[in-house]
Amino acid sequence: MANVTIRDIARRAKVGVGTVSRVLNDSPAVSEETRRIVLEAIRELDYAPSPIARRLSLGRTLTIAVVLPFLTLPAFVERLRGVQHVLGDSEYDLVLYSVGNPTQRDSYYRDLARPNRADGLLFMSLPPNNQQAQRLLHSKVPNVMIGSVHQTLHQVRVDDFYGGELATQHLINLGHRRIGLISDYIDTPWHFVPMRDRFRGYQKALEKAGFEFNSDFTIQGPHGRDEACAMAVKLLKRPDRPSAIFACSDTQAIGVLDAAQKLGIRVPEELSVVGYDGIRDAEYMQLTTVEQPLFESGVEGAQLLLENIVNPMPGPKVITLPIELVIRGTTAPPGD
Amino acid sequence: MANVTIRDIARRAKVGVGTVSRVLNDSPAVSEETRRIVLEAIRELDYAPSPIARRLSLGRTLTIAVVLPFLTLPAFVERLRGVQHVLGDSEYDLVLYSVGNPTQRDSYYRDLARPNRADGLLFMSLPPNNQQAQRLLHSKVPNVMIGSVHQTLHQVRVDDFYGGELATQHLINLGHRRIGLISDYIDTPWHFVPMRDRFRGYQKALEKAGFEFNSDFTIQGPHGRDEACAMAVKLLKRPDRPSAIFACSDTQAIGVLDAAQKLGIRVPEELSVVGYDGIRDAEYMQLTTVEQPLFESGVEGAQLLLENIVNPMPGPKVITLPIELVIRGTTAPPGD
DNA sequence: CTGTTAGCGCATTCAC
DNA sequence: GTGAATGCGCTAACAG
């Protein structure tokens, strides 16, 4: 019942605590014989060293903090899985911080950017402002941004600009001219950069095709399936309604499908829809989408972080992961 | 750069470390004046106490360990969200342990069931064997099972037996007689009790209706959409193929829908499908399903755990959450 | 190779 | 009210 400590083992094995510590840490500087005796004592007393004491003594937390916005969005879960996949094999514990609002986000950026909180920080889709980035840098705590950017920080990202262009180009190639866009708010306190880049890619594609950009065809709003549905309804009720819609996330794309169904508009005959992310739901729904390697981004981010813990790289390392347009059943030439 | 410790604050404020500690912990036994001075020093040096040192000194880890099988299944993510929702407002960190195989599960049961690892344990859908339960009990570490059962442990669960009955009864009421069932392996080293109960509920409903149980209509296999699809294909290729299938999870139900599509069998005209869980995909797919309160179960489990940390209850507390049959578009009377 | 000792940073006595 | 001292369990440096 009473906690068994390293001292108990030492006493039991009739050695010093130093020796016990040595066998615990696989130090070669201990004879086979004593190692055996110590291990025996450990087994008999079912002893396991206290991680807390260990951390304090080592001056390391043996912990990686993962900060992400709500666990609600499937895309974040996929990334988290990737992170867990890597961390599961490491010596680090994964502690989870879920951010519900900008205030919370800021407090995490403040609290975690100091020694003794975590040995490494992983931020997902939560771009820091300059001051926060500065603080991170100054704190010397290794960190990696996944799915968000900052000039001074390590990051793994995808080329969202290109992705937006790819999606739009696909629609243009099919023959669409009136192409709507639905996205999150682009200028929010969250600074959700990827969305903004996708939007710009959309503009670029239009421009390249010689179409004029019509801001009436773009709507921004809060994220979510139902919200996207409402936005799409607004777009589809126009007399000159678009024949195709690029939704900046799969969740929103599914909302668009809802809207089409509600209004009796057939997909893809009367309306083409492209999403973004490549969450599993997209496959269920036969949604054409721009797939980004979500799981992979988690893996890469975690690995980059672990490397940086071992030996910190100076310059910001940017890993850009490839994206891919996956054509399924929700896009087709305009039925006119 | 150098770590600022409580001692630095004490020196700066010209007080003892004890006093600083007191203001950090809101002890009333400190004058307004000195409190002010200390807080001032803390602010000036941007000091924050080291959680690790705090933990060691307090003898508490300030940590809740959440153990769950792969992060892959949406149902687990929902529960995790519920847990996070509660823990986010507490003083505890949420550390995540993802279990990939039975060996890993067993090692977590062993390692976490001792002092100084976590102040509380949350196991999701990972029923312990008697020895593990015994060890948990003996370790005195507060713990709660979510979605799995053991006679001696606190748990929050749903009535899976009733759920299985409910789903099957629904199909019977619609007029179906040949009702297939697809489930995980029921007798595995994972001891996935809920599945077994759903299966038994199915049998019970058949029995009540006076139908004979036909084991040819039940298939067990590894979990997963594709796996379920393969099983369903097997079922649906029989000359006397079932007119309805109860899949023991939504993921599997979606696999069944895949199979129907592949074989050109219309749902619900030629085949009715009922799922189980109530994940969001189910809504997307218009799937009739038995909805269990996943998020809620996480919330309840976390709350129960926190209560038990404050003052441990002796007897095992069992919270049973209500389930609900949600009828959507995949069930209808048999088209014959 | 091995025992002893000095911290790691904080909370908590116990005197004053 | 407050300061000084002790211990939480472990690692690492230092003698031997």
Side-chain angles (χ1 to χ4, degrees):
Chain A
M1 203 88 319
N3 251 323
V4 28
T5 80
I6 199 176
R7 204 135 25 189
D8 300 318
I9 302 299
R11 195 153 33 222
R12 174 90 167 204
K14 301 193 192 316
V15 298
V17 291
T19 300
V20 177
S21 176
R22 272 181 281 258
V23 340
L24 285 176
N25 295 287
D26 288 317
S27 162
V30 44
S31 79
E32 252 342 289
E33 174 62 2
T34 49
R35 179 188 305 278
R36 204 188 49 69
I37 297 181
V38 170
L39 286 175
E40 173 71 7
I42 289 178
R43 214 181 44 68
E44 287 177 359
L45 272 51
D46 185 30
Y47 164 79
S50 154
I52 308 189
R54 207 149 172 281
R55 297 188 227 263
L56 181 59
S57 183
L58 284 172
R60 306 174 25 183
T61 65
L62 299 180
T63 276
I64 303 291
V66 177
V67 189
L68 40 64
F70 328 80
L71 223 40
T72 36
L73 302 185
F76 298 135
V77 176
E78 279 303 301
R79 289 208 248 253
L80 179 59
R81 280 188 52 228
V83 170
Q84 137 68 30
H85 181 73
V86 173
L87 259 37
D89 295 330
S90 77
E91 62 182 328
Y92 296 99
D93 276 346
L94 189 171
V95 353
L96 201 61
Y97 296 98
S98 177
V99 171
N101 56 59
T103 309
Q104 232 170 43
R105 176 200 56 187
D106 293 341
S107 80
Y108 283 135
Y109 264 113
R110 188 164 0 88
D111 294 346
L112 293 174
R114 45 175 26 125
N116 297 328
R117 297 292 304 195
D119 293 342
L121 271 28
L122 234 27
F123 289 92
M124 291 193 189
S125 301
L126 290 169
N129 60 34
N130 286 331
Q131 183 193 339
Q132 290 164 336
Q134 185 63 40
R135 186 182 168 91
L136 267 178
L137 235 31
H138 185 75
S139 76
K140 303 287 188 206
V141 182
N143 63 84
V144 170
M145 306 282 126
I146 299 182
S148 59
V149 301
H150 194 280
Q151 302 95 315
T152 61
L153 302 174
H154 299 305
Q155 59 198 259
V156 18
R157 46 162 304 187
V158 300
D159 193 341
D160 286 288
F161 181 87
Y162 178 60
E165 200 181 337
L166 209 57
T168 312
Q169 189 63 53
H170 169 58
L171 294 171
I172 291 172
N173 290 347
L174 284 172
H176 293 275
R177 289 199 57 114
R178 298 190 311 286
I179 301 175
L181 176 139
I182 283 182
S183 72
D184 287 15
Y185 289 120
I186 285 181
D187 297 308
T188 65
W190 292 83
H191 286 359
F192 201 51
V193 182
M195 283 286 170
R196 204 198 49 208
D197 287 347
R198 291 168 203 176
F199 182 87
R200 288 185 181 164
Y202 161 82
Q203 289 180 306
K204 170 78 175 303
L206 290 182
E207 186 183 317
K208 258 174 54 181
F211 299 172
E212 62 177 319
F213 167 72
N214 182 349
S215 71
D216 288 353
F217 277 3
T218 70
I219 302 191
Q220 304 177 10
H223 197 96
R225 181 188 183 182
D226 296 338
E227 292 80 353
C229 176
M231 291 190 271
V233 166
K234 217 176 291 179
L235 219 48
L236 292 172
K237 278 194 169 161
R238 296 174 58 93
D240 62 337
R241 74 165 193 237
S243 68
I245 293 182
F246 170 33
C248 285
S249 82
D250 286 341
T251 303
Q252 291 172 317
I254 290 168
V256 174
L257 295 181
D258 290 341
Q261 185 172 21
K262 189 185 297 184
L263 298 177
I265 298 174
R266 284 170 304 148
V267 174
E269 292 83 359
E270 302 174 273
L271 176 72
S272 284
V273 180
V274 181
Y276 203 111
D277 275 344
I279 62 177
R280 295 181 331 164
D281 300 334
E283 199 189 329
Y284 293 6
M285 309 294 290
Q286 283 301 306
L287 181 70
T288 293
T289 192
V290 178
E291 241 179 58
Q292 47 175 330
L294 295 168
F295 182 85
E296 271 304 313
S297 73
V299 169
E300 294 284 337
Q303 282 173 346
L304 180 55
L305 181 62
L306 292 185
E307 287 167 25
N308 259 276
I309 291 177
V310 177
N311 52 36
M313 308 177 182
K317 164 123 185 184
V318 178
I319 298 180
T320 301
L321 265 27
I323 54 181
E324 185 186 358
L325 177 68
V326 177
I327 299 173
R328 296 206 183 88
T330 58
T331 49
D336 108 323
Chain B
M1 202 89 321
N3 251 323
V4 29
T5 80
I6 199 174
R7 205 137 25 190
D8 300 318
I9 302 299
R11 196 152 34 223
R12 174 89 166 205
K14 301 193 193 315
V15 298
V17 293
T19 301
V20 176
S21 177
R22 272 179 277 255
V23 341
L24 284 176
N25 295 286
D26 289 316
S27 161
V30 46
S31 78
E32 250 344 287
E33 175 62 1
T34 49
R35 178 187 306 278
R36 203 188 49 69
I37 298 179
V38 170
L39 286 176
E40 173 71 6
I42 289 178
R43 213 181 44 68
E44 286 176 358
L45 271 52
D46 185 33
Y47 164 78
S50 155
I52 307 188
R54 218 165 120 53
R55 298 188 227 261
L56 181 58
S57 184
L58 284 171
R60 305 174 19 177
T61 65
L62 299 180
T63 276
I64 303 291
V66 177
V67 189
L68 40 63
F70 327 82
L71 223 41
T72 36
L73 301 185
F76 298 134
V77 176
E78 279 303 301
R79 290 207 247 253
L80 178 60
R81 281 189 51 228
V83 170
Q84 138 68 31
H85 180 72
V86 173
L87 259 37
D89 295 329
S90 76
E91 61 182 329
Y92 296 99
D93 276 346
L94 188 172
V95 356
L96 201 61
Y97 296 99
S98 177
V99 172
N101 55 58
T103 310
Q104 230 170 43
R105 175 200 56 185
D106 292 342
S107 79
Y108 284 135
Y109 264 114
R110 189 166 357 88
D111 294 346
L112 293 175
R114 46 177 23 125
N116 298 327
R117 296 292 303 194
D119 293 341
L121 271 28
L122 234 28
F123 290 92
M124 290 192 189
S125 302
L126 291 168
N129 59 35
N130 286 331
Q131 183 193 338
Q132 289 164 335
Q134 186 63 39
R135 187 184 168 91
L136 268 178
L137 235 34
H138 185 75
S139 76
K140 301 286 189 206
V141 182
N143 64 84
V144 170
M145 305 283 126
I146 299 181
S148 59
V149 300
H150 194 279
Q151 302 95 316
T152 60
L153 302 173
H154 299 303
Q155 60 197 259
V156 18
R157 48 163 302 188
V158 299
D159 192 340
D160 286 288
F161 181 87
Y162 178 60
E165 201 181 335
L166 209 56
T168 312
Q169 189 63 54
H170 169 58
L171 294 172
I172 291 174
N173 290 346
L174 284 173
H176 293 274
R177 288 199 57 113
R178 297 189 312 285
I179 301 175
L181 176 139
I182 283 182
S183 71
D184 287 15
Y185 290 120
I186 286 182
D187 296 307
T188 65
W190 292 84
H191 286 2
F192 202 51
V193 182
M195 282 288 168
R196 203 198 50 207
D197 287 347
R198 290 168 204 177
F199 182 88
R200 289 187 180 162
Y202 160 83
Q203 289 180 304
K204 170 77 175 302
L206 290 183
E207 185 184 317
K208 257 175 54 181
F211 298 173
E212 63 178 317
F213 167 72
N214 182 349
S215 71
D216 287 351
F217 277 4
T218 71
I219 302 192
Q220 304 178 12
H223 197 95
R225 182 188 181 182
D226 296 338
E227 292 80 352
C229 175
M231 292 190 271
V233 165
K234 215 175 295 179
L235 220 47
L236 292 172
K237 278 193 169 162
R238 297 173 57 93
D240 61 337
R241 74 166 195 236
S243 67
I245 293 181
F246 169 34
C248 285
S249 82
D250 285 342
T251 302
Q252 291 172 315
I254 291 169
V256 173
L257 294 181
D258 290 340
Q261 185 172 20
K262 188 186 296 184
L263 297 177
I265 298 175
R266 283 171 304 147
V267 173
E269 291 82 358
E270 301 175 272
L271 177 71
S272 284
V273 179
V274 181
Y276 203 110
D277 274 346
I279 62 177
R280 295 181 332 165
D281 299 335
E283 199 187 331
Y284 293 6
M285 309 294 289
Q286 283 301 305
L287 181 70
T288 294
T289 191
V290 178
E291 240 179 58
Q292 48 174 330
L294 295 168
F295 182 85
E296 271 303 315
S297 72
V299 170
E300 294 284 337
Q303 283 173 345
L304 179 55
L305 181 62
L306 292 185
E307 287 167 26
N308 259 275
I309 292 176
V310 178
N311 52 36
M313 306 178 185
K317 164 122 185 185
V318 178
I319 298 181
T320 301
L321 265 28
I323 53 180
E324 186 184 357
L325 177 69
V326 177
I327 300 172
R328 296 206 182 88
T330 57
T331 48
D336 110 321

